[in-house]
Amino acid sequence: MKTRGARLARRCAWLRSQVRGVVGVFLVVSLGTTIPAWSGDRPSSGASRRQSTSTSKPALSKQAAAVPQVMLIDRAIAEGWGKAGVKPARLATDEEFLRRAYLDLLGRIPNVQEARAFLATRETGKREKLVEYLLNHADFAKNLATEWTVLLIGRGNQGRMVDRAALTGWLRQQFGADRPWNEIVRELVAATGSNKENGAVNYVLAHLEFGAVPLTSRTTRLFLGQQIQCTQCHDHPSNDWKQRDFWGINAFFKGIRAEQVRKEDATGREAYDHTELRDEPSDAYVSYDRRDGMVGTTFPRYLDGRKLPPGPNVIRRAELAKLIADPKNDSMAKAFVNRMWAHFLGRGFVQPVDDFGPHNPPSHPQLLDQLSQEFQQNGYHIKQLCRWIMASRAYQLSSVRTKGNEKDDALFSAMPLKPMTPEQLFDSLLTATAAHRGGAGDETGRKRDAWMKQFLFVFANDEAEESTSFQGTIPQALMMMNGELMQEALSGKPGSFLGDICEQGSHQASPAAFMIDSLYLAALSRHPSGRELAQAGQLLESCPDSLPVLQDLFWALLNSNEFILNH
């Protein structure tokens, strides 16, 4: 018990002194103390980081800054600062940019080798080269597919009629090939066939209940940035949307047919195999109850008032897909540009990102219009949009606020602190710790799947919706402090990260410095400051067994705000 109490006290000491940025929302339950909130990833001593080549100026080349779309963004954002009298934050260091770029594009932090390589190079344009490398990394398509799977069908179990893996696989193929966004949207809305062979089918299948009401509201929110769901029952109280607008879109989904297909399995018994989705021509209207007690009726009617010509041979859903993806329709481009801006900058020009309208004007209306036009004119290519945003000065700013911008929350004068999603946190923990590699292949896969289920359960909200992120609830905090994954990560088993650095450190001229530096790079994507290195090194030198000390330090780093937050 004395040993356990001593280690707990040591971990809490690390949290208070060694890692200044430790999770403010975490409760050290056994001691009844709270940890101070993170205020930036700079060492509190002010000491320069060991071996760091970073400066306060970005390594962005003049060529990247001179791209017309980047200049467009920078002018508009700077104009907003000037009008409001806001002074932007300093420019992000290489360490900040590295970690931010990996999380935003790959959904995980860099590993030690990736961090060391980027921080060591002094070449001009290293940031653009990093962005290009990440955009062409296999994990880019994987991460974007994961994010859009959650947006399209949520995190909850949709039942056997929805093949989540097939949808994610289909999305991954599209994003990996840099397929234009308008083509992806058109296929998602109009997809037909087997939900196993055509993963796009699963989006529609997931929302067909209650006469496709959920499909109606989600389609307009995700692809057009319009929240018309409340007009299902009444006219919108704060904009021009009417009840007939909701049901006019809903009418496009008449004629959808879903059929479960059964086949013989290996035992010769018939079992469910897949679901087929098809459309039948329809000339049916939609009826709905109005607030005045009357019954309203409508045929398919797009949000701008366009109607389908009546007739029995029209495939309505295909026509809706054409209307949404029509190059003349700028709503789809604006909705996507706004959502991607929010992905990178923490909030959209329009916030919430799916609530466009006169009741909710954008913070930078002209920039949103122009950037959306550029996105359209450049073929709706997602990677190109990512390049423009990440090369902008707004994206290159630090998250550490000053007196000149401490009250700004809409002009992008500092990078907001963004809580990780459960998927980001999970993959970052595995990247940092290699906890899943301490066993045979099959066992590794089972561990990963089991831990991911635990993460999603602890992070889930009541509706398993896409907004879920780390909020520092007690179950989340306890899982991070003492969950199965964390225990495995700190075990020091062969194949784990701690096990590897202990073995590698024994061959170094300065084992303590090597191991401490590796822990900081693994968890925080930076070298330790001189003070951090000295304190940790002193403790290591005083202990005959280095593993318990490394375990305590690693635990503190992984439970810090500097690790938990995307900054």
Side-chain angles (χ1 to χ4, degrees), residues 89-120:
R90 65 169 171 81
L91 292 163
T93 63
D94 280 347
E95 293 92 338
E96 291 171 310
F97 183 85
L98 168 71
R99 193 174 189 278
R100 181 186 303 170
Y102 266 84
L103 280 168
D104 288 343
L105 291 180
L106 303 192
R108 63 169 177 85
I109 60 173
N111 61 37
V112 172
Q113 292 75 23
E114 291 166 334
R116 277 204 175 107
F118 179 78
L119 297 177

Side-chain angles (χ1 to χ4, degrees), residues 170 174 179 182-192 198 200 321:
W170 181 86
Q174 315 312 307
R179 189 177 181 189
N182 61 331
E183 294 182 10
I184 294 175
V185 171
R186 187 165 57 238
E187 188 158 349
L188 282 168
V189 175
T192 59
N198 182 5

Side-chain angles (χ1 to χ4, degrees), residues 12-235:
C12 292
W14 281 119
L15 288 174
R16 289 197 184 91
S17 63
Q18 193 68 15
V19 187
R20 287 290 179 182
V22 170
V23 183
V25 290
F26 272 21
L27 299 177
V28 183
V29 179
S30 54
L31 296 183
T33 59
T34 13
I35 306 303
W38 184 77
S39 59
D41 68 347
R42 304 181 317 285
S44 59
S45 65
S48 61
R49 293 189 186 133
R50 177 176 172 269
Q51 300 177 6
S52 176
T53 61
S54 174
T55 66
S56 61
K57 295 182 180 180
L60 195 66
S61 69
K62 292 181 180 180
Q63 183 179 3
V67 172
Q69 293 83 1
V70 178
M71 294 173 66
L72 172 72
I73 295 172
D74 288 348
R75 278 197 304 267
I77 297 298
E79 184 179 333
W81 296 336
K83 287 181 179 179
V86 169
K87 184 179 179 180
R90 65 169 171 81
L91 292 163
T93 63
D94 280 347
E95 293 92 338
E96 291 171 310
F97 183 85
L98 168 71
R99 193 174 189 278
R100 181 186 303 170
Y102 266 84
L103 280 168
D104 288 343
L105 291 180
L106 303 192
R108 63 169 177 85
I109 60 173
N111 61 37
V112 172
Q113 292 75 23
E114 291 166 334
R116 277 204 175 107
F118 179 78
L119 297 177
T121 181
R122 297 175 180 269
E123 64 180 321
T124 302
K126 62 190 287 186
R127 297 193 182 190
E128 306 98 273
K129 292 175 183 177
L130 174 66
V131 169
E132 202 61 35
Y133 166 76
L134 297 178
L135 287 173
N136 290 288
H137 196 288
D139 284 352
F140 169 73
K142 174 187 173 184
N143 177 51
L144 204 54
T146 298
E147 291 182 8
W148 272 94
T149 298
V150 174
L151 287 168
L152 291 166
I153 64 174
R155 288 189 175 92
N157 184 357
Q158 300 286 344
R160 70 179 187 180
M161 282 185 63
V162 178
D163 191 330
R164 175 182 295 273
L167 174 60
T168 302
W170 181 86
L171 288 168
R172 190 170 179 176
Q173 287 182 328
Q174 315 312 307
F175 295 135
D178 199 21
R179 189 177 181 189
W181 178 243
N182 61 331
E183 294 182 10
I184 294 175
V185 171
R186 187 165 57 238
E187 188 158 349
L188 282 168
V189 175
T192 59
S194 164
N195 71 328
K196 285 172 60 177
E197 296 176 2
N198 182 5
V201 164
N202 292 282
Y203 166 61
V204 171
L205 281 178
H207 307 294
L208 286 179
E209 66 271 26
F210 308 115
V213 164
L215 182 60
T216 303
S217 59
R218 192 167 291 237
T219 297
T220 52
R221 279 199 306 112
L222 288 180
F223 305 134
L224 298 172
Q226 302 290 349
Q227 292 195 15
I228 65 170
Q229 60 270 22
C230 73
T231 61
Q232 174 189 350
C233 302
H234 55 79
D235 293 345

Side-chain angles (χ1 to χ4, degrees), residues 456-523:
L456 294 180
F457 177 78
V458 171
F459 277 73
N461 60 18
D462 292 339
E463 298 175 349
E465 279 294 339
E466 65 270 12
S467 60
T468 307
S469 60
F470 183 85
Q471 300 297 329
T473 64
I474 289 179
Q476 291 173 1
L478 290 175
M479 181 190 67
M480 284 297 296
M481 288 192 290
N482 200 36
E484 185 181 337
L485 193 160
M486 187 63 68
Q487 291 181 29
E488 191 78 12
L490 301 177
S491 68
K493 291 179 180 179
S496 70
F497 177 72
L498 274 181
D500 286 348
I501 66 166
C502 285
E503 194 278 329
Q504 294 168 17
S506 64
H507 304 294
Q508 304 295 319
S510 178
F514 171 81
M515 291 188 290
I516 295 165
D517 187 58
S518 296
L519 290 183
Y520 273 82
L521 284 171

Side-chain angles (χ1 to χ4, degrees), residues 273-293:
D273 184 71
H274 68 275
T275 302
E276 288 280 339
L277 189 68
R278 57 187 173 85
D279 294 271
E280 294 179 353
S282 174
D283 60 357
Y285 59 82
V286 170
S287 60
Y288 55 94
D289 296 327
R290 296 185 350 196
R291 291 293 288 272
D292 60 6

